[in-house]
Amino acid sequence: MEGKNWSDLWLSYKKNGGKNAGSVTVQFEGFLPENRVMNSAKKELENGLSGLGTAVLIKKNDAIAKEGYSVTGTKELVTIEASDENGALYGAFHLLRSSECGEDITALKISKAPSNPLRMMNHWDNMDGSIERGYSGRSFFYEHDDIIINDRTVDYARFMASIGINGVVINNVNVKWAATDLITTRFFDKLAVLSGIFADYGIKLYLSLNFASPIELGGLAVCDPLDKDVIAWWEGKIKEVYDRLPELGGFLVKADSEGRPGPFTYGRTQADGANMLADVIKPYGGIIIWRCFVYNCTQDWRDTKTDRARAGYDYFKDLDGDYHDNVILQIKNGPMDFQIREPISPLIGGLTKTNQMLEVQIAQEYTGHQIDLCYLIPMFKEILGFKTYCKEENDTVADVVSGRAFGNKLAGMAAVINTGNDLNWTGNDLAAANLYGFGRLAFDTDLSAEEIAREWTKLTFDLDEALEDKLVNMLLTSRETYEKYTSPLGIGWMVTPHDHYGPSVDGYEYSRWGTYHRADHLGIGVDRTDKGTGYAQQYYQPNAEMYNDPKKCPENLLLFFHHIPYSWKLSSGQTLIQYIYDSHFEGAAEAEQLQKDWEAFEGKVPEKTFECVKERFVRQVYNAHEWRDQVNSYFFRKSGIADEKGREIF
Amino acid sequence: MEGKNWSDLWLSYKKNGGKNAGSVTVQFEGFLPENRVMNSAKKELENGLSGLGTAVLIKKNDAIAKEGYSVTGTKELVTIEASDENGALYGAFHLLRSSECGEDITALKISKAPSNPLRMMNHWDNMDGSIERGYSGRSFFYEHDDIIINDRTVDYARFMASIGINGVVINNVNVKWAATDLITTRFFDKLAVLSGIFADYGIKLYLSLNFASPIELGGLAVCDPLDKDVIAWWEGKIKEVYDRLPELGGFLVKADSEGRPGPFTYGRTQADGANMLADVIKPYGGIIIWRCFVYNCTQDWRDTKTDRARAGYDYFKDLDGDYHDNVILQIKNGPMDFQIREPISPLIGGLTKTNQMLEVQIAQEYTGHQIDLCYLIPMFKEILGFKTYCKEENDTVADVVSGRAFGNKLAGMAAVINTGNDLNWTGNDLAAANLYGFGRLAFDTDLSAEEIAREWTKLTFDLDEALEDKLVNMLLTSRETYEKYTSPLGIGWMVTPHDHYGPSVDGYEYSRWGTYHRADHLGIGVDRTDKGTGYAQQYYQPNAEMYNDPKKCPENLLLFFHHIPYSWKLSSGQTLIQYIYDSHFEGAAEAEQLQKDWEAFEGKVPEKTFECVKERFVRQVYNAHEWRDQVNSYFFRKSGIADEKGREIF
């Protein structure tokens, strides 16, 4: 792999790897050495522990939970136990991680089982090589409407397995053009190879599906999910797919949204659509992941009663219990669209009889395009820790999406991934912390944001303790910094339309997307109480009551739920308008501080990394200044209320 | 030409044409019948007068002005006299126009000479077939980086000649990619054919030039206009071009703006760049048209002293007199960019020792994309009639750009054209009135907007008097209607960025384009007085004083020159804010009225025309409502001042 144009991310094994592989002995007990996953585990251990010359035994133990593992070290031997191959592989990666983090592996004594059965990455890669909301170059899966398979594909699978990912959707949910043909003979051969590479690392391949395939591929007049010919077409098609790709995990479907076809076209429900496909795929063990992103995007900004935030719950709650057991609904963390701060989607836990999976976005669409530093794991921790009150106990989002709350076997977490074919995979080297962190968190939702940041830092760099602390701190504070200089108190948006980088306070204010701040000369915010759109009532009590009352509502979501006068006093004693000014000055200053902090890393991280991140911080500071000045000027011009501290507002 | 997929525009000869061509006798005296232009005139007369069976004599008369003509009718013979072929052709078209407008051609007794020596169309067509700011389909000059030549090309030349156009720039001023090769052997053969078709109709071909050609084509390191190698390269290149295209009129150049290369790169002046090319092209009789669109587009919105409106004058005034005599500066009508209302560029007449040409835009970039009806000739009449006070008399824009004011031989008018390969050429059938009107006005700046509208209506349709009046009235009021529902009192912009259709009040408010309205809770407008940016001082007195004083400033430009409180009383007695509300309600109501008025034309115009225009009015009404509601809501939310009439504002 000399001369390869991609980095090793957190698998460089810079401390204990890279020596003669023969120095590591890997033995098996109860597992077949020739098994493809065992083979991968062995290669990885030989590569990553060669500097230590350890002996490792990988041993089958049926008492261990599915995909779980234990690792027990002694002076002579480190033993990995698991009941299945994936567990063994994850145990091997745990051992490697411990080794690289400087732990004494001969003293290891841990056992782990994954929090979530499904731990998935969703690629929004298009077959022309572009990536929807991609900020790291072009796709490494596709170019010129064809599939790329090379050593990078293998490394990708290794990285994903090392953080516990067990499912990957390789194409954009908006399935068009060549991607529609992924379920045809045009691509089966290459997909079989790709599926095999994934299988070597315990990863199942999934495809996004074009719901209109019966029309576009089958030549039928309709794609009505209750139409007999349509069902028959899907039966033949799915049989053909599974004959060629027997390991396929299933399909991800986005229907009836943003111009994509779906069941609504034929007066059918989303359940009708999902269940039809689920029934057809069931004999093959496949699943249907149905994206809960269905809303009428022709909202009129003049209409203050219609509320996009309500749409998911309004559509899907009534069908709770109607979905077949190999359907899982994939629900975005918030009711809008991956803003820097949103309340939790009330569908999560709101549905009690339906398989559900949490969707987050590590592609930094609204959170800085992998130019601005924004470590998202603290946000994900908040989401997972949110008490839904859907039942007496075990009622957090983590409980619900893991299946613990309602006993679902299909459950888990998915991330819209932030990768591309850049050398460093993620545009900004530091954005890899989100890639790493999502996988680690999906596997173990009890890990803290700091633990994850520290692991990633240790694995990726070779820093002294002070610099490690500095970098971890930079990561941990970055989300609040970004929030401070962008849109305040949960209102979201205020972003350049289409592109979604940089400020445009009114950019989505008069649009058809349901994304309004409703600022006037007296105040700002959307009334989503029982006197407004009623969205707050979609939550269980006491959340509904909390959100409904501006005095009880968490302040960081105040403007999401309430229209608030600029003179409103926050708990800090600041008025709302002064808070807007102060937080924007603070956020921009913090961005400048991040840029300064990075200077300390010169010579301490690889030069390419240093230069790349340095250049990103220059752009982040520019962006933060634009946000600060545009937001402050907007509200000063609108309210006429001066900054108490007399700072420059334009 | 059966089955052709383009319309005949105003040359359908529906009244008196289309019969057996042999019924018309065309004779020549002093002109050679075999001359290419005479041949065109003869064909056109035979085609357009065949229903009348007239005899026409085309006679040379050296006493008549260049490109001028007289037409004298008797019962037996209509005589066209001219001193040159173009004049004879224009005379023939005059005769045809009179015939189709229902005049008695046997009683004709008129003589005309063009107001402007140069009457040009500028195409912003790209060689991939796209058109920058095109709203009428794709290019009919190019596709797939090649030149198209067919019967449509001939018809295009006929249309242009029929309205007096004598020069056409066939490629976008932003010269990139394949278009750079237009001055190479790759395209000479086809350009020679195209040039010939144009020459048949008295039209000179011009090309937009890539100032960086010495680098991109010649492999030189620089394109510095004072560099000896660069000059030598141009000498060779221009010789090569004229060897192959001896009829070429010359080159249009846009330099140092919007990312285009230019003399500034090398610390040279615009005059250095233009003069170098002009000297090289002089032996061949060619001219260099230099676009006065040079400004620093990296303005900071926070900076209230820098003013894009100043840039043209600031750059070019100092060089007045430095340009060689075969250079002509092409100056946009206003200092900004073709807004619905701008003051006249102070460069026009501000330059007294430099050839200058007026540039207007009939492509409706900011004026409704040929969806909204916006007949622009009334605007052009205002521009031409503006008294610059550059001298004691003959000081209007029309005087300056015609060359009358300062005795320039190179002078005239150019329009950024609104055509494409749509069936109707102009997207909206009614937008052809701007295409027709620009040519007619450039030829005869004394024609009124109404005369031109009426001519076009008569030539294009076959309506009874009441409907003709109705359509003429729709055209004549359309610009004010559009102005009312869009940006008020000369402030401009407030338009969706990039696309430039539809409202976005703050869309360009925090941009780097110098396009600000500076609205706050108390007022709106840009202070361009001597206490502000000083722009008003670029005019001669008494204009400078008039614009400098908000009480003397024409109200329709009030916000261009002054920052005015919402409570300011206009001459009507309305406050500024009430004017904003009222004009927007009025404008939208007028758009609705236009839509209703058009219903009367069903069955009275060709069905395709009726349906096309009907559909455009639907979109115009939608657009007018968006503008009305967004602008009114924006200012209501910002000012907190209610509409006196209690109408719905959101």
Side-chain angles (χ1 to χ4, degrees), chain B residues 78-134:
Chain B
V78 184
T79 304
I80 299 168
E81 291 173 277
S83 61
D84 53 35
E85 286 79 5
N86 274 20
L89 181 63
Y90 300 146
F93 277 117
H94 187 113
L95 171 55
L96 288 159
R97 190 162 56 236
S98 298
S99 155
E100 285 294 305
C101 286
E103 295 173 36
D104 177 6
I105 62 171
T106 65
L108 273 175
K109 193 170 176 59
I110 59 95
S111 61
K112 291 278 178 191
S115 309
N116 291 291
L118 290 170
R119 304 173 302 278
M120 300 188 63
M121 292 294 188
N122 289 183
H123 286 264
W124 287 0
D125 294 28
N126 300 313
M127 293 201 65
D128 64 1
S130 65
I131 302 176
E132 188 163 330
R133 309 302 174 187

Side-chain angles (χ1 to χ4, degrees), chain A residues 302 509 521 629 637 640, chain B residues 302 509 521 629-630 637 640:
Chain A
R302 301 165 184 84
E509 186 59 15
H521 69 297
D629 292 343
R637 292 185 188 183
Chain B
R302 300 165 185 85
E509 186 59 14
H521 69 297
D629 292 343
Q630 290 194 32
R637 292 184 188 184

Side-chain angles (χ1 to χ4, degrees), chain A residues 300-302 506 509-510 517-522 625-626 629-630 633-634 636-640 650, chain B residues 300-302 506 509-510 517-522 625-626 629-630 633-634 636-640 650:
Chain A
D300 192 317
W301 60 270
R302 301 165 184 84
D506 273 358
E509 186 59 15
Y510 302 95
H517 55 63
R518 308 288 187 197
D520 61 20
H521 69 297
L522 295 174
H625 288 174
E626 281 300 317
D629 292 343
Q630 290 194 32
S633 295
Y634 181 96
F636 171 60
R637 292 185 188 183
K638 203 150 201 165
S639 70
F650 300 90
Chain B
D300 193 316
W301 59 270
R302 300 165 185 85
D506 273 359
E509 186 59 14
Y510 302 94
H517 56 62
R518 307 286 187 196
D520 61 19
H521 69 297
L522 295 174
H625 287 173
E626 281 300 317
D629 292 343
Q630 290 194 32
S633 295
Y634 181 96
F636 171 59
R637 292 184 188 184
K638 203 148 201 165
S639 69
F650 299 90

Side-chain angles (χ1 to χ4, degrees), chain A residues 403-608:
Chain A
R404 287 190 299 271
F406 300 113
N408 317 81
K409 280 188 197 148
L410 285 188
M413 291 170 63
V416 180
I417 198 167
N418 60 353
T419 54
N421 72 356
D422 276 359
L423 174 71
N424 64 10
W425 298 81
T426 54
N428 186 331
D429 290 67
L430 302 187
N434 288 325
L435 181 62
Y436 179 84
F438 170 77
R440 294 288 292 131
L441 188 64
F443 193 90
D444 184 355
T445 52
D446 288 338
L447 287 171
S448 73
E450 178 173 352
E451 285 172 305
I452 292 171
R454 199 165 290 277
E455 268 185 15
W456 174 81
T457 301
K458 283 181 189 291
L459 294 173
T460 303
F461 301 114
D462 195 8
L463 301 171
D464 63 34
E465 208 181 308
L467 276 184
E468 182 185 305
D469 287 348
K470 190 187 273 276
L471 184 52
V472 167
N473 186 56
M474 289 168 73
L475 290 168
L476 287 173
T477 57
S478 60
R479 183 255 187 142
E480 288 198 16
T481 295
Y482 188 84
E483 184 181 26
K484 282 181 188 174
Y485 63 72
T486 57
S487 60
L489 301 181
I491 193 69
W493 309 97
M494 302 192 170
V495 71
T496 305
H498 315 304
D499 183 51
H500 300 167
Y501 187 77
S504 178
V505 179
D506 273 358
Y508 278 112
E509 186 59 15
Y510 302 95
S511 75
R512 62 192 175 96
W513 298 102
T515 49
Y516 315 118
H517 55 63
R518 308 288 187 197
D520 61 20
H521 69 297
L522 295 174
I524 174 179
V526 181
D527 184 353
R528 290 192 165 103
T529 68
D530 51 2
K531 294 181 188 61
T533 73
Y535 167 77
Q537 307 313 307
Q538 292 186 336
Y539 290 88
Y540 292 100
Q541 293 299 5
N543 288 339
E545 196 190 319
M546 171 182 74
Y547 288 137
N548 207 57
D549 181 345
K551 302 220 166 118
K552 293 182 185 161
C553 182
E555 279 186 344
N556 58 23
L557 288 170
L558 187 61
L559 302 180
F560 190 94
F561 285 101
H562 302 279
H563 189 84
I564 299 289
Y566 296 123
S567 56
W568 177 275
K569 288 270 179 172
L570 296 171
S571 57
S572 62
Q574 291 160 297
T575 59
L576 172 60
I577 190 81
Q578 192 57 37
Y579 172 83
I580 292 173
Y581 298 149
D582 288 349
S583 60
H584 282 79
F585 281 109
E586 275 169 39
E590 288 170 16
E592 292 165 15
Q593 189 59 47
L594 281 171
Q595 183 182 27
K596 284 197 199 91
D597 286 345
W598 185 246
E599 289 168 15
F601 292 84
E602 186 162 14
K604 309 294 185 180
V605 297
E607 194 184 338
K608 274 190 184 160

Side-chain angles (χ1 to χ4, degrees), chain A residues 615-632:
Chain A
E615 184 267 348
R616 302 269 158 164
F617 278 130
V618 171
R619 288 154 73 190
Q620 175 169 1
V621 167
Y622 179 87
N623 190 40
H625 288 174
E626 281 300 317
W627 274 98
R628 176 194 67 195
D629 292 343
Q630 290 194 32
V631 170
N632 284 347

Side-chain angles (χ1 to χ4, degrees), chain A residues 496-497 503-507 626 630 634 637, chain B residues 132-133 135 258 293 295 297 299-303 308 336-337 339 365-366 369 487 491-519 526 528 627 630 634 638:
Chain A
T496 305
S504 178
V505 179
D506 273 358
E626 281 300 317
Q630 290 194 32
Y634 181 96
R637 292 185 188 183
Chain B
E132 188 163 330
R133 309 302 174 187
Y135 311 107
E258 297 186 325
F293 183 52
Y295 69 96
C297 63
Q299 183 170 349
D300 193 316
W301 59 270
R302 300 165 185 85
D303 168 8
R308 169 172 171 177
M336 298 299 277
D337 194 23
Q339 303 300 295
E365 178 177 355
Y366 295 97
H369 282 205
S487 60
I491 193 68
W493 310 97
M494 302 193 171
V495 72
T496 304
H498 314 301
D499 183 52
H500 300 167
Y501 187 76
S504 178
V505 179
D506 273 359
Y508 278 112
E509 186 59 14
Y510 302 94
S511 75
R512 63 192 176 96
W513 298 102
T515 50
Y516 316 117
H517 56 62
R518 307 286 187 196
V526 181
R528 291 191 165 101
W627 274 98
Q630 290 194 32
Y634 181 96
K638 203 148 201 165

